[in-house]
Structure formats: C-alpha cells, structure tokens
PDB file of all heavy atoms in Angstrom:
ATOM      1  N   ILE U 153      92.741 121.789-105.452  1.00 97.00           N
ATOM      2  CA  ILE U 153      91.513 121.112-105.850  1.00 97.00           C
ATOM      3  C   ILE U 153      91.572 120.385-107.209  1.00 97.00           C
ATOM      4  O   ILE U 153      92.157 120.997-108.083  1.00 97.00           O
ATOM      5  CB  ILE U 153      90.273 122.181-105.914  1.00 97.00           C
ATOM      6  CG1 ILE U 153      90.101 122.786-104.564  1.00 97.00           C
ATOM      7  CG2 ILE U 153      89.030 121.601-106.422  1.00 97.00           C
ATOM      8  CD1 ILE U 153      89.166 123.993-104.535  1.00 97.00           C
ATOM      9  N   ASP U 154      91.111 119.184-107.248  1.00 96.00           N
ATOM     10  CA  ASP U 154      91.127 118.508-108.648  1.00 96.00           C
ATOM     11  C   ASP U 154      89.793 117.784-108.800  1.00 96.00           C
ATOM     12  O   ASP U 154      89.505 117.008-107.957  1.00 96.00           O
ATOM     13  CB  ASP U 154      92.377 117.595-108.694  1.00 96.00           C
ATOM     14  CG  ASP U 154      92.470 116.888-110.088  1.00 96.00           C
ATOM     15  OD1 ASP U 154      92.531 117.606-111.027  1.00 96.00           O
ATOM     16  OD2 ASP U 154      92.515 115.687-110.099  1.00 96.00           O
ATOM     17  N   LYS U 155      89.169 118.006-109.941  1.00 94.00           N
ATOM     18  CA  LYS U 155      87.977 117.416-110.237  1.00 94.00           C
ATOM     19  C   LYS U 155      86.846 117.375-109.126  1.00 94.00           C
ATOM     20  O   LYS U 155      86.211 116.386-108.775  1.00 94.00           O
ATOM     21  CB  LYS U 155      88.150 115.910-110.655  1.00 94.00           C
ATOM     22  CG  LYS U 155      89.015 115.715-111.966  1.00 94.00           C
ATOM     23  CD  LYS U 155      89.217 114.229-112.165  1.00 94.00           C
ATOM     24  CE  LYS U 155      89.939 114.046-113.519  1.00 94.00           C
ATOM     25  NZ  LYS U 155      91.207 114.769-113.643  1.00 94.00           N
ATOM     26  N   GLY U 156      86.749 118.646-108.613  1.00 95.00           N
ATOM     27  CA  GLY U 156      85.698 118.836-107.546  1.00 95.00           C
ATOM     28  C   GLY U 156      86.023 118.307-106.119  1.00 95.00           C
ATOM     29  O   GLY U 156      85.167 118.399-105.275  1.00 95.00           O
ATOM     30  N   LYS U 157      87.173 117.768-105.913  1.00 97.00           N
ATOM     31  CA  LYS U 157      87.545 117.334-104.625  1.00 97.00           C
ATOM     32  C   LYS U 157      88.816 118.014-104.047  1.00 97.00           C
ATOM     33  O   LYS U 157      89.700 118.415-104.873  1.00 97.00           O
ATOM     34  CB  LYS U 157      87.850 115.879-104.683  1.00 97.00           C
ATOM     35  CG  LYS U 157      86.679 114.912-104.997  1.00 97.00           C
ATOM     36  CD  LYS U 157      85.505 114.956-103.931  1.00 97.00           C
ATOM     37  CE  LYS U 157      84.439 113.997-104.340  1.00 97.00           C
ATOM     38  NZ  LYS U 157      84.883 112.532-104.281  1.00 97.00           N
ATOM     39  N   PHE U 158      89.036 118.140-102.690  1.00 97.00           N
ATOM     40  CA  PHE U 158      90.272 118.548-102.217  1.00 97.00           C
ATOM     41  C   PHE U 158      91.249 117.447-102.225  1.00 97.00           C
ATOM     42  O   PHE U 158      90.929 116.293-101.835  1.00 97.00           O
ATOM     43  CB  PHE U 158      90.102 118.865-100.583  1.00 97.00           C
ATOM     44  CG  PHE U 158      89.072 120.026-100.355  1.00 97.00           C
ATOM     45  CD1 PHE U 158      87.905 119.796 -99.658  1.00 97.00           C
ATOM     46  CD2 PHE U 158      89.412 121.360-100.817  1.00 97.00           C
ATOM     47  CE1 PHE U 158      87.080 120.910 -99.322  1.00 97.00           C
ATOM     48  CE2 PHE U 158      88.500 122.323-100.619  1.00 97.00           C
ATOM     49  CZ  PHE U 158      87.412 122.194 -99.876  1.00 97.00           C
ATOM     50  N   VAL U 159      92.503 117.787-102.889  1.00 97.00           N
ATOM     51  CA  VAL U 159      93.460 116.756-103.005  1.00 97.00           C
ATOM     52  C   VAL U 159      94.729 117.028-102.203  1.00 97.00           C
ATOM     53  O   VAL U 159      95.576 116.130-101.994  1.00 97.00           O
ATOM     54  CB  VAL U 159      93.819 116.473-104.528  1.00 97.00           C
ATOM     55  CG1 VAL U 159      92.656 115.873-105.240  1.00 97.00           C
ATOM     56  CG2 VAL U 159      94.268 117.842-105.206  1.00 97.00           C
ATOM     57  N   GLU U 160      94.798 118.237-101.676  1.00 97.00           N
ATOM     58  CA  GLU U 160      95.928 118.614-100.907  1.00 97.00           C
ATOM     59  C   GLU U 160      95.564 119.849-100.105  1.00 97.00           C
ATOM     60  O   GLU U 160      95.054 120.826-100.612  1.00 97.00           O
ATOM     61  CB  GLU U 160      97.144 118.956-101.849  1.00 97.00           C
ATOM     62  CG  GLU U 160      98.513 119.062-101.090  1.00 97.00           C
ATOM     63  CD  GLU U 160      99.649 119.108-101.990  1.00 97.00           C
ATOM     64  OE1 GLU U 160      99.502 119.087-103.149  1.00 97.00           O
ATOM     65  OE2 GLU U 160     100.798 119.186-101.379  1.00 97.00           O
ATOM     66  N   VAL U 161      95.794 119.785 -98.785  1.00 97.00           N
ATOM     67  CA  VAL U 161      95.554 120.856 -97.866  1.00 97.00           C
ATOM     68  C   VAL U 161      96.670 121.004 -96.807  1.00 97.00           C
ATOM     69  O   VAL U 161      96.844 119.976 -96.098  1.00 97.00           O
ATOM     70  CB  VAL U 161      94.148 120.689 -97.102  1.00 97.00           C
ATOM     71  CG1 VAL U 161      93.876 121.793 -96.228  1.00 97.00           C
ATOM     72  CG2 VAL U 161      93.020 120.475 -98.118  1.00 97.00           C
ATOM     73  N   ARG U 162      97.426 122.095 -96.883  1.00 96.00           N
ATOM     74  CA  ARG U 162      98.588 122.074 -95.924  1.00 96.00           C
ATOM     75  C   ARG U 162      99.047 123.579 -95.783  1.00 96.00           C
ATOM     76  O   ARG U 162      98.746 124.464 -96.660  1.00 96.00           O
ATOM     77  CB  ARG U 162      99.693 121.282 -96.366  1.00 96.00           C
ATOM     78  CG  ARG U 162     100.258 121.542 -97.713  1.00 96.00           C
ATOM     79  CD  ARG U 162     101.471 120.638 -97.952  1.00 96.00           C
ATOM     80  NE  ARG U 162     102.047 120.831 -99.236  1.00 96.00           N
ATOM     81  CZ  ARG U 162     103.011 121.730 -99.425  1.00 96.00           C
ATOM     82  NH1 ARG U 162     103.452 122.431 -98.441  1.00 96.00           N
ATOM     83  NH2 ARG U 162     103.589 121.792-100.714  1.00 96.00           N
ATOM     84  N   THR U 163      99.855 123.825 -94.800  1.00 97.00           N
ATOM     85  CA  THR U 163     100.476 125.151 -94.711  1.00 97.00           C
ATOM     86  C   THR U 163     101.683 125.186 -95.806  1.00 97.00           C
ATOM     87  O   THR U 163     102.213 124.161 -96.220  1.00 97.00           O
ATOM     88  CB  THR U 163     101.128 125.283 -93.278  1.00 97.00           C
ATOM     89  OG1 THR U 163     102.039 124.221 -93.035  1.00 97.00           O
ATOM     90  CG2 THR U 163     100.042 125.328 -92.223  1.00 97.00           C
ATOM     91  N   GLY U 164     101.958 126.515 -96.168  1.00 96.00           N
ATOM     92  CA  GLY U 164     103.062 126.691 -97.063  1.00 96.00           C
ATOM     93  C   GLY U 164     102.504 126.762 -98.501  1.00 96.00           C
ATOM     94  O   GLY U 164     101.332 126.826 -98.685  1.00 96.00           O
ATOM     95  N   VAL U 165     103.372 126.600 -99.414  1.00 95.00           N
ATOM     96  CA  VAL U 165     103.077 126.747-100.810  1.00 95.00           C
ATOM     97  C   VAL U 165     102.972 125.411-101.569  1.00 95.00           C
ATOM     98  O   VAL U 165     103.812 124.533-101.210  1.00 95.00           O
ATOM     99  CB  VAL U 165     104.172 127.592-101.590  1.00 95.00           C
ATOM    100  CG1 VAL U 165     103.859 127.696-103.121  1.00 95.00           C
ATOM    101  CG2 VAL U 165     104.229 128.964-100.996  1.00 95.00           C
ATOM    102  N   ILE U 166     102.025 125.229-102.353  1.00 94.00           N
ATOM    103  CA  ILE U 166     101.781 124.079-103.144  1.00 94.00           C
ATOM    104  C   ILE U 166     102.284 124.352-104.613  1.00 94.00           C
ATOM    105  O   ILE U 166     101.741 125.276-105.264  1.00 94.00           O
ATOM    106  CB  ILE U 166     100.366 123.491-103.217  1.00 94.00           C
ATOM    107  CG1 ILE U 166      99.965 123.049-101.766  1.00 94.00           C
ATOM    108  CG2 ILE U 166     100.144 122.389-104.216  1.00 94.00           C
ATOM    109  CD1 ILE U 166      98.444 122.696-101.651  1.00 94.00           C
ATOM    110  N   ALA U 167     103.246 123.663-105.058  1.00 90.00           N
ATOM    111  CA  ALA U 167     103.888 123.922-106.345  1.00 90.00           C
ATOM    112  C   ALA U 167     102.808 123.620-107.500  1.00 90.00           C
ATOM    113  O   ALA U 167     102.129 122.600-107.492  1.00 90.00           O
ATOM    114  CB  ALA U 167     105.151 123.068-106.612  1.00 90.00           C
ATOM    115  N   ALA U 168     102.627 124.547-108.338  1.00 88.00           N
ATOM    116  CA  ALA U 168     101.698 124.439-109.483  1.00 88.00           C
ATOM    117  C   ALA U 168     102.260 123.460-110.479  1.00 88.00           C
ATOM    118  O   ALA U 168     103.442 123.399-110.684  1.00 88.00           O
ATOM    119  CB  ALA U 168     101.418 125.760-110.112  1.00 88.00           C
ATOM    120  N   ARG U 169     101.445 122.649-111.085  1.00 83.00           N
ATOM    121  CA  ARG U 169     101.826 121.726-112.075  1.00 83.00           C
ATOM    122  C   ARG U 169     101.128 122.091-113.514  1.00 83.00           C
ATOM    123  O   ARG U 169      99.930 122.185-113.457  1.00 83.00           O
ATOM    124  CB  ARG U 169     101.493 120.258-111.660  1.00 83.00           C
ATOM    125  CG  ARG U 169     102.015 119.861-110.337  1.00 83.00           C
ATOM    126  CD  ARG U 169     101.497 118.500-109.866  1.00 83.00           C
ATOM    127  NE  ARG U 169     101.997 118.164-108.560  1.00 83.00           N
ATOM    128  CZ  ARG U 169     101.610 117.178-107.831  1.00 83.00           C
ATOM    129  NH1 ARG U 169     100.655 116.374-108.367  1.00 83.00           N
ATOM    130  NH2 ARG U 169     102.026 116.894-106.642  1.00 83.00           N
ATOM    131  N   GLY U 170     101.959 122.189-114.432  1.00 84.00           N
ATOM    132  CA  GLY U 170     101.365 122.517-115.752  1.00 84.00           C
ATOM    133  C   GLY U 170     100.711 123.951-115.681  1.00 84.00           C
ATOM    134  O   GLY U 170     101.255 124.842-115.159  1.00 84.00           O
ATOM    135  N   ASP U 171      99.496 123.980-116.165  1.00 88.00           N
ATOM    136  CA  ASP U 171      98.791 125.327-116.356  1.00 88.00           C
ATOM    137  C   ASP U 171      97.735 125.397-115.364  1.00 88.00           C
ATOM    138  O   ASP U 171      96.789 126.050-115.585  1.00 88.00           O
ATOM    139  CB  ASP U 171      98.309 125.451-117.731  1.00 88.00           C
ATOM    140  CG  ASP U 171      97.353 124.389-118.158  1.00 88.00           C
ATOM    141  OD1 ASP U 171      97.230 123.385-117.460  1.00 88.00           O
ATOM    142  OD2 ASP U 171      96.783 124.446-119.287  1.00 88.00           O
ATOM    143  N   ILE U 172      97.843 124.672-114.218  1.00 92.00           N
ATOM    144  CA  ILE U 172      96.801 124.770-113.097  1.00 92.00           C
ATOM    145  C   ILE U 172      96.712 126.210-112.609  1.00 92.00           C
ATOM    146  O   ILE U 172      97.749 126.839-112.285  1.00 92.00           O
ATOM    147  CB  ILE U 172      97.079 123.885-111.983  1.00 92.00           C
ATOM    148  CG1 ILE U 172      97.028 122.412-112.418  1.00 92.00           C
ATOM    149  CG2 ILE U 172      96.117 124.205-110.783  1.00 92.00           C
ATOM    150  CD1 ILE U 172      97.491 121.396-111.292  1.00 92.00           C
ATOM    151  N   PRO U 173      95.583 126.899-112.700  1.00 94.00           N
ATOM    152  CA  PRO U 173      95.451 128.236-112.119  1.00 94.00           C
ATOM    153  C   PRO U 173      95.833 128.242-110.656  1.00 94.00           C
ATOM    154  O   PRO U 173      95.484 127.426-109.846  1.00 94.00           O
ATOM    155  CB  PRO U 173      93.966 128.558-112.315  1.00 94.00           C
ATOM    156  CG  PRO U 173      93.429 127.563-113.318  1.00 94.00           C
ATOM    157  CD  PRO U 173      94.273 126.315-113.136  1.00 94.00           C
ATOM    158  N   VAL U 174      96.599 129.316-110.335  1.00 95.00           N
ATOM    159  CA  VAL U 174      96.975 129.565-108.906  1.00 95.00           C
ATOM    160  C   VAL U 174      96.328 130.942-108.466  1.00 95.00           C
ATOM    161  O   VAL U 174      96.635 131.948-109.134  1.00 95.00           O
ATOM    162  CB  VAL U 174      98.499 129.577-108.700  1.00 95.00           C
ATOM    163  CG1 VAL U 174      98.887 129.809-107.288  1.00 95.00           C
ATOM    164  CG2 VAL U 174      99.118 128.242-109.153  1.00 95.00           C
ATOM    165  N   ILE U 175      95.607 130.881-107.370  1.00 96.00           N
ATOM    166  CA  ILE U 175      94.898 132.055-107.009  1.00 96.00           C
ATOM    167  C   ILE U 175      95.388 132.482-105.651  1.00 96.00           C
ATOM    168  O   ILE U 175      95.381 131.753-104.632  1.00 96.00           O
ATOM    169  CB  ILE U 175      93.370 131.943-106.970  1.00 96.00           C
ATOM    170  CG1 ILE U 175      92.889 131.500-108.197  1.00 96.00           C
ATOM    171  CG2 ILE U 175      92.623 133.213-106.404  1.00 96.00           C
ATOM    172  CD1 ILE U 175      91.436 130.987-108.254  1.00 96.00           C
ATOM    173  N   ASP U 176      96.064 133.635-105.501  1.00 96.00           N
ATOM    174  CA  ASP U 176      96.535 134.216-104.264  1.00 96.00           C
ATOM    175  C   ASP U 176      95.349 134.998-103.619  1.00 96.00           C
ATOM    176  O   ASP U 176      94.905 135.972-104.092  1.00 96.00           O
ATOM    177  CB  ASP U 176      97.762 135.201-104.517  1.00 96.00           C
ATOM    178  CG  ASP U 176      98.358 135.727-103.180  1.00 96.00           C
ATOM    179  OD1 ASP U 176      97.794 135.489-102.219  1.00 96.00           O
ATOM    180  OD2 ASP U 176      99.341 136.342-103.327  1.00 96.00           O
ATOM    181  N   VAL U 177      94.880 134.460-102.502  1.00 96.00           N
ATOM    182  CA  VAL U 177      93.735 135.127-101.754  1.00 96.00           C
ATOM    183  C   VAL U 177      94.255 136.161-100.875  1.00 96.00           C
ATOM    184  O   VAL U 177      93.353 136.746-100.084  1.00 96.00           O
ATOM    185  CB  VAL U 177      92.894 134.030-100.971  1.00 96.00           C
ATOM    186  CG1 VAL U 177      92.347 133.061-101.997  1.00 96.00           C
ATOM    187  CG2 VAL U 177      93.698 133.318 -99.916  1.00 96.00           C
ATOM    188  N   GLU U 178      95.469 136.409-100.742  1.00 95.00           N
ATOM    189  CA  GLU U 178      96.083 137.586-100.079  1.00 95.00           C
ATOM    190  C   GLU U 178      95.678 137.532 -98.596  1.00 95.00           C
ATOM    191  O   GLU U 178      95.326 138.540 -97.971  1.00 95.00           O
ATOM    192  CB  GLU U 178      95.531 138.882-100.764  1.00 95.00           C
ATOM    193  CG  GLU U 178      95.945 139.041-102.192  1.00 95.00           C
ATOM    194  CD  GLU U 178      95.358 140.244-102.784  1.00 95.00           C
ATOM    195  OE1 GLU U 178      94.476 140.814-102.215  1.00 95.00           O
ATOM    196  OE2 GLU U 178      95.720 140.587-103.907  1.00 95.00           O
ATOM    197  N   GLY U 179      95.954 136.339 -98.027  1.00 96.00           N
ATOM    198  CA  GLY U 179      95.690 136.232 -96.664  1.00 96.00           C
ATOM    199  C   GLY U 179      94.316 136.111 -96.036  1.00 96.00           C
ATOM    200  O   GLY U 179      94.109 136.099 -94.846  1.00 96.00           O
ATOM    201  N   LYS U 180      93.374 136.047 -96.968  1.00 97.00           N
ATOM    202  CA  LYS U 180      91.946 135.969 -96.554  1.00 97.00           C
ATOM    203  C   LYS U 180      91.602 134.715 -95.885  1.00 97.00           C
ATOM    204  O   LYS U 180      92.235 133.691 -96.006  1.00 97.00           O
ATOM    205  CB  LYS U 180      91.020 136.251 -97.763  1.00 97.00           C
ATOM    206  CG  LYS U 180      91.045 137.722 -98.303  1.00 97.00           C
ATOM    207  CD  LYS U 180      90.219 137.830 -99.589  1.00 97.00           C
ATOM    208  CE  LYS U 180      90.344 139.286-100.166  1.00 97.00           C
ATOM    209  NZ  LYS U 180      89.552 139.530-101.363  1.00 97.00           N
ATOM    210  N   LEU U 181      90.481 134.821 -95.160  1.00 97.00           N
ATOM    211  CA  LEU U 181      89.995 133.585 -94.544  1.00 97.00           C
ATOM    212  C   LEU U 181      89.194 132.689 -95.405  1.00 97.00           C
ATOM    213  O   LEU U 181      88.375 133.119 -96.294  1.00 97.00           O
ATOM    214  CB  LEU U 181      89.023 134.070 -93.308  1.00 97.00           C
ATOM    215  CG  LEU U 181      88.262 132.845 -92.581  1.00 97.00           C
ATOM    216  CD1 LEU U 181      89.287 132.014 -91.846  1.00 97.00           C
ATOM    217  CD2 LEU U 181      87.224 133.445 -91.653  1.00 97.00           C
ATOM    218  N   ILE U 182      89.500 131.367 -95.345  1.00 98.00           N
ATOM    219  CA  ILE U 182      88.793 130.358 -96.108  1.00 98.00           C
ATOM    220  C   ILE U 182      88.183 129.398 -95.096  1.00 98.00           C
ATOM    221  O   ILE U 182      88.823 128.957 -94.128  1.00 98.00           O
ATOM    222  CB  ILE U 182      89.691 129.620 -97.136  1.00 98.00           C
ATOM    223  CG1 ILE U 182      90.212 130.439 -98.162  1.00 98.00           C
ATOM    224  CG2 ILE U 182      88.986 128.345 -97.647  1.00 98.00           C
ATOM    225  CD1 ILE U 182      91.035 129.770 -99.194  1.00 98.00           C
ATOM    226  N   THR U 183      86.821 129.038 -95.217  1.00 98.00           N
ATOM    227  CA  THR U 183      86.134 128.105 -94.484  1.00 98.00           C
ATOM    228  C   THR U 183      85.537 127.070 -95.387  1.00 98.00           C
ATOM    229  O   THR U 183      85.396 127.391 -96.580  1.00 98.00           O
ATOM    230  CB  THR U 183      85.067 128.729 -93.573  1.00 98.00           C
ATOM    231  OG1 THR U 183      84.007 129.196 -94.440  1.00 98.00           O
ATOM    232  CG2 THR U 183      85.589 129.969 -92.753  1.00 98.00           C
ATOM    233  N   PRO U 184      85.062 126.050 -94.782  1.00 98.00           N
ATOM    234  CA  PRO U 184      84.253 125.063 -95.652  1.00 98.00           C
ATOM    235  C   PRO U 184      82.922 125.822 -95.971  1.00 98.00           C
ATOM    236  O   PRO U 184      82.456 126.713 -95.343  1.00 98.00           O
ATOM    237  CB  PRO U 184      83.952 123.926 -94.686  1.00 98.00           C
ATOM    238  CG  PRO U 184      84.983 124.088 -93.524  1.00 98.00           C
ATOM    239  CD  PRO U 184      85.271 125.497 -93.478  1.00 98.00           C
TER     240      PRO U 184
END
C-alpha cells in the first residue's frame, strides 16, 4: 500500500524498500 492505494498485490513476498513497515499477518484471511 502506498498513499492510501493498493500498488502491488500478488502471491509470494514483496521486498521491502527503505523503512516501509512489513506486517506478517501469519496466514490470516484478508478481504476488501
């Protein structure tokens, strides 16, 4: 997420850039 919008959605890991917080939801379900 960047500036309130989805900018990348995919399977696998998205590499963090700089000091962007990364939150591991531990397999939980995410919905809109």
Side-chain angles (χ1 to χ4, degrees):
I153 297 169
D154 186 51
K155 295 181 173 59
K157 298 288 186 71
F158 295 117
V159 294
E160 195 172 357
V161 180
R162 63 178 178 84
T163 56
V165 177
I166 296 176
R169 303 172 185 174
D171 57 353
I172 295 177
V174 178
I175 301 168
D176 185 349
V177 301
E178 301 177 345
K180 291 178 181 176
L181 172 66
I182 292 180
T183 70

